[in-house]
Amino acid sequence: MRAAILGNSGSGKSTLARWMASQADARLLDLDTVAWEPDKIAVPRSSPAASADVRQFCQSNANWIVEGCYASLVEVALQHRPRLIFMNPGEAQCLENCRARPWEPHKYKSKSEQDERLSMLLAWVSEYYSRSGDMSLAGHRGCFARYAGPKVELTAVPVMQPPAPELLACLD
């Protein structure tokens, strides 16, 4: 099983990716871990280096899930013909999810550091619908439209327990 999950911050990508990885015994790549320089706040890696890491991950694993908000990095994974899942539950749901998000130790040194940046994250989530580029609704819609492989757009938070039919189909 191979899947690439794309969507706004707070759309449920990470939650879905972790659930799918556990159900399918698949390796998981959070694209934040390759898009940014390690241990440096807000320092992006070069596009060729990040793309090379995604390519290497996809080639090195039989079963995998890639998730993130970077359309260009998802497109690298799409070269391996996974199922593309576009998480698009709407702004209100994304904002609610961000407010309820547990501490992400791979991104922040502490829960308090994460909480200090919440207002910035909420603004970023809201701007998704009007900005352009790789991490925008327009960029994600373009990526989704261009992909000729298996794909699905989820416009509501999927039910995982018990799994909704659309989730079970994603595990095939």
Side-chain angles (χ1 to χ4, degrees):
M1 195 266 302
R2 294 178 173 187
I5 305 173
L6 180 65
N8 193 3
S9 295
S11 63
K13 299 178 307 293
S14 297
T15 301
L16 178 59
R18 284 190 302 271
W19 180 84
M20 289 178 68
S22 72
Q23 297 298 303
D25 194 28
R27 295 283 316 272
L28 176 58
L29 177 62
D30 175 344
L31 292 176
D32 284 334
T33 64
V34 299
W36 301 95
E37 288 292 342
D39 301 319
K40 295 181 183 175
I41 296 174
V43 177
R45 290 182 69 215
S46 74
S47 181
S51 294
D53 284 352
V54 174
R55 194 171 298 106
Q56 177 63 33
F57 175 83
C58 294
Q59 291 170 346
S60 299
N61 296 287
N63 295 313
W64 52 259
I65 299 166
V66 168
E67 67 91 1
C69 62
Y70 313 92
S72 60
L73 293 178
V74 166
E75 287 181 339
V76 172
L78 294 180
Q79 296 169 7
H80 299 272
R81 302 264 316 146
R83 176 179 306 274
L84 174 59
I85 302 168
F86 177 25
M87 300 290 293
N88 190 16
E91 181 178 1
Q93 185 65 60
C94 291
L95 292 170
E96 181 181 325
N97 290 349
C98 286
R99 289 185 186 102
R101 170 177 289 189
W103 175 40
E104 298 175 297
H106 64 288
K107 295 180 187 177
Y108 302 99
K109 292 180 182 174
S110 68
K111 174 76 164 109
S112 61
E113 180 184 334
Q114 180 175 308
D115 291 345
E116 289 170 11
R117 297 175 188 213
L118 181 59
S119 61
M120 182 177 65
L121 175 62
L122 296 177
W124 173 258
V125 167
S126 292
E127 292 164 1
Y128 171 79
Y129 302 92
S130 59
R131 71 175 166 257
S132 60
D134 196 40
M135 294 181 278
S136 69
L137 176 60
H140 293 175
R141 284 217 176 278
C143 176
F144 187 78
R146 285 186 297 276
Y147 187 53
K151 59 187 175 182
V152 62
E153 180 177 357
L154 300 179
T155 58
V157 175
V159 175
M160 294 178 210
Q161 294 300 329
E166 67 268 17
L167 285 190
L168 292 174
C170 291
L171 294 175
D172 291 338

